[in-house]
């Protein structure tokens, strides 16, 4: 019997190959998870509708009978607070009751994941009175005497911005910027050498 037929050849895998597989897998999983996170964070707030549940409990500017009752109606105003203590004032609806519902439509989408609270207040010339503050926990939220209905929509632009706020997105952006700088330096070095 020959030894060559009985021996089994074993191939050793290079440690560099194992390291490259692990690194490649980590990169793919990281990019995939950031893309999934960007898709989940691509929902933006488009519209807010506020309805008073009981018109008798709405605030009044004054309670004088038969005198300027139209002016006595509240001046509702909405503030959207986002991360980093930023506030977006959606404007006021002066002298209107919210019994039939008041609607504020946003010009630009605000990412729902970045909104910390929505504040309904009665606008005043000096200091506005906060009536109720809510968080977006669903398509409709009831707090105090008010129901808030939120209309949202998904946006690829918000998803891309969200992706580049993640650490992997920032690393990709930095690497892309460095690659452009290196290419430009190499291009201009041909002219000066």
């Amino acid at each position: 019997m020959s030894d060559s037929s009985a021996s089994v050849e074993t191939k050793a895998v290079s440690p560099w190959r194992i390291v490259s597989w692990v690194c490649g897998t980590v990169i793919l999983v990281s990019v995939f998870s950031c893309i999934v996170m960007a898709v989940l964070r691509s929902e933006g707030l488009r519209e807010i509708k506020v309805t008073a549940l009981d018109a008798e409990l709405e605030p009044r500017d004054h309670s004088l009978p038969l005198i300027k009752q139209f002016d006595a109606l509240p001046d509702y105003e909405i503030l959207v607070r986002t991360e980093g203590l930023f506030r977006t004032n959606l404007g006021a609806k002066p002298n209107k009751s919210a019994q039939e519902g008041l609607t504020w439509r946003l010009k630009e989408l605000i990412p729902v994941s970045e909104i910390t609270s929505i504040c309904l207040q009665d606008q005043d010339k000096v200091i506005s009175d906060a009536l109720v503050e809510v968080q977006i926990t669903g398509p409709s939220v009831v707090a105090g005497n008010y129901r808030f209905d939120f209309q949202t929509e998904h946006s690829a632009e918000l998803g891309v911005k969200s992706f580049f706020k993640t650490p992997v997105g920032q690393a990709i952006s930095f690497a892309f910027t460095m690659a452009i700088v290196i290419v430009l330096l190499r291009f201009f070095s041909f002219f000066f050498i």
Side-chain angles (χ1 to χ4, degrees), residues 41 81-87 112-116 165:
R41 294 172 55 110
R81 292 188 173 109
T82 56
E83 294 172 350
L85 303 176
F86 295 108
R87 296 185 315 171
V112 173
S113 60
E114 294 179 9
I115 295 174
T116 57
K165 286 181 182 178

Side-chain angles (χ1 to χ4, degrees), residues 8 14 26 33 90-91 131 138 159 162 167 170 182 189 191:
V8 177
S14 166
V26 167
S33 64
L90 301 184
L131 300 174
S162 174
Q170 290 174 351
I182 290 170
S189 68
F191 292 114

Side-chain angles (χ1 to χ4, degrees), residues 41-66:
R41 294 172 55 110
S42 68
E43 185 179 18
L45 180 64
R46 173 56 72 193
E47 187 176 279
I48 302 170
K49 182 178 180 183
V50 176
T51 307
L53 303 176
D54 185 356
E56 296 297 320
L57 297 177
E58 286 186 286
R60 299 283 178 183
D61 290 341
H62 63 78
S63 57
L64 302 172
L66 303 173

Side-chain angles (χ1 to χ4, degrees), residues 31-143:
V31 170
F32 179 73
S33 64
C34 288
I35 290 171
V36 168
M37 188 172 68
V39 169
L40 293 176
R41 294 172 55 110
S42 68
E43 185 179 18
L45 180 64
R46 173 56 72 193
E47 187 176 279
I48 302 170
K49 182 178 180 183
V50 176
T51 307
L53 303 176
D54 185 356
E56 296 297 320
L57 297 177
E58 286 186 286
R60 299 283 178 183
D61 290 341
H62 63 78
S63 57
L64 302 172
L66 303 173
I67 298 176
K68 294 187 177 181
Q69 288 302 305
F70 177 76
D71 290 339
L73 292 172
D75 302 331
Y76 287 112
E77 180 179 44
I78 292 274
L79 286 178
V80 178
R81 292 188 173 109
T82 56
E83 294 172 350
L85 303 176
F86 295 108
R87 296 185 315 171
T88 303
N89 189 335
L90 301 184
K93 307 272 186 186
N95 301 318
K96 292 194 178 180
S97 171
Q99 188 175 12
E100 300 296 321
L102 299 174
T103 302
W104 284 265
R105 187 156 177 86
L106 284 76
K107 293 177 185 173
E108 291 185 18
L109 292 174
I110 297 176
V112 173
S113 60
E114 294 179 9
I115 295 174
T116 57
S117 66
I118 294 176
C119 182
L120 176 69
Q121 53 189 26
D122 186 11
Q123 186 185 49
D124 198 355
K125 291 177 182 173
V126 182
I127 297 175
S128 297
D129 300 323
L131 300 174
V132 67
E133 191 165 353
V134 298
Q135 284 78 35
I136 300 177
T137 56
S140 184
V141 175
V142 175

Side-chain angles (χ1 to χ4, degrees), residues 163-174:
F163 174 76
F164 284 107
K165 286 181 182 178
T166 64
V168 172
Q170 290 174 351
I172 290 172
S173 178
F174 177 75

